[in-house]
Amino acid sequence: GQQLNQSPQSMFIQEGEDVSMNCTSSSIFNTWLWYKQEPGEGPVLLIALYKAGELTSNGRLTAQFGITRKDSFLNISASIPSDVGIYFCAGLNQGGSEKLVFGKGTKLTVNP
Amino acid sequence: NAGVTQTPKFRILKIGQSMTLQCTQDMNHNYMYWYRQDPGMGLKLIYYSVGAGITDKGEVPNGYNVSRSTTEDFPLRLELAAPSQTSVYFCASKENTEAFFGQGTRLTVV
């Protein structure tokens, strides 16, 4: 089955630092998604990417859809304490199987 | 507009008992999903549905069953609960790209 490898597993950073995380897949997706989960809640969509090579921003967040369609990257600039949470990548073949598959997550801790 | 509603929020089951986790969405979405999230881990897809009357297995379907008789409802059934099914269960629905998640059901099997 499809597997998403997300790294790093966890990050401990100081407020103001930039963060990078990535996700690779054993198979191709036509849509990459990045979600954030806060304690006791379900994941919430941050950014959606629809085309290989696409670079999309949402405030301090920037994500890229890899050229091979098997990877994606998320960057957070100038981190703040409320960025704390678990970030998940997810792959989707929209219009195909519609199976939405998630990576294992990157747990982010921001020290003020 | 309630979005995705899951019940119950918490449940303790004894080994061998059965239960149904309820999931309802009021957004008229075609696609619905069930995931389990173990402590410190990601979301593993159990079952999903692309519309009423259609269901498909995800990554970890063993020990679970689903049905989709209406667009709104997508219940998840555990027939013989096992300790390995202790987890937090999330239901989600989507149309196009964005999936909306429920608040989760925390299940403990003892």
Side-chain angles (χ1 to χ4, degrees):
Chain A
Q2 293 163 319
Q3 295 203 5
L4 298 188
N5 298 308
Q6 188 172 346
S7 64
Q9 195 172 354
S10 61
M11 300 184 77
F12 297 84
I13 62 170
Q14 293 296 127
E15 183 176 358
E17 289 183 355
D18 297 342
V19 172
S20 290
M21 58 191 79
N22 69 78
C23 201
T24 59
S25 169
S26 57
S27 52
I28 290 171
F29 293 108
N30 65 19
T31 303
W32 278 95
L33 308 162
W34 284 92
Y35 283 81
K36 180 186 179 186
Q37 184 183 31
E38 298 189 4
E41 302 289 328
V44 174
L45 182 67
L46 297 173
I47 291 181
L49 301 156
Y50 302 104
K51 201 166 63 172
E54 179 183 356
L55 189 71
T56 297
S57 293
N58 178 6
R60 293 178 295 106
L61 277 62
T62 301
Q64 184 160 24
F65 192 140
I67 291 291
T68 65
R69 294 166 61 195
K70 290 185 177 182
D71 57 359
S72 181
F73 306 87
L74 176 70
N75 295 313
I76 305 173
S77 63
S79 59
I80 58 177
S82 62
D83 289 335
V84 165
I86 304 175
Y87 291 79
F88 291 102
C89 62
L92 172 68
N93 280 322
Q94 195 173 355
S97 70
E98 296 287 354
K99 186 189 285 190
L100 182 59
V101 181
F102 282 77
K104 291 185 177 179
T106 295
K107 185 173 182 180
L108 179 63
T109 303
V110 180
N111 296 315
Chain B
N1 192 347
V4 179
T5 302
Q6 288 183 239
T7 56
K9 285 188 168 48
F10 303 93
R11 184 74 186 268
I12 298 175
L13 276 183
K14 292 186 178 178
I15 294 171
Q17 285 186 321
S18 62
M19 80 163 292
T20 298
L21 283 68
Q22 302 290 347
C23 178
T24 297
Q25 52 98 3
D26 61 1
M27 297 172 282
N28 204 33
H29 288 167
N30 280 315
Y31 308 110
M32 295 188 75
Y33 303 82
W34 272 107
Y35 296 89
R36 59 175 288 173
Q37 184 176 32
D38 299 329
M41 300 295 285
L43 297 154
K44 292 183 182 176
L45 182 62
I46 305 171
Y47 270 97
Y48 68 109
S49 169
V50 301
I54 306 169
T55 61
D56 277 298
K57 293 179 180 179
E59 303 164 274
V60 289
N62 292 342
Y64 306 95
N65 279 303
V66 293
S67 59
R68 185 93 183 273
S69 56
T70 67
T71 299
E72 294 78 21
D73 300 307
F74 191 38
L76 178 72
R77 178 103 180 135
L78 283 71
E79 291 293 349
L80 287 170
S84 61
Q85 293 178 306
T86 293
S87 192
V88 180
Y89 291 84
F90 286 101
C91 177
S93 76
K94 83 170 184 74
E95 202 66 40
N96 300 318
T97 305
E98 182 166 5
F100 295 87
F101 282 79
Q103 295 272 302
T105 295
R106 184 175 295 275
L107 176 67
T108 303
V109 182
V110 296

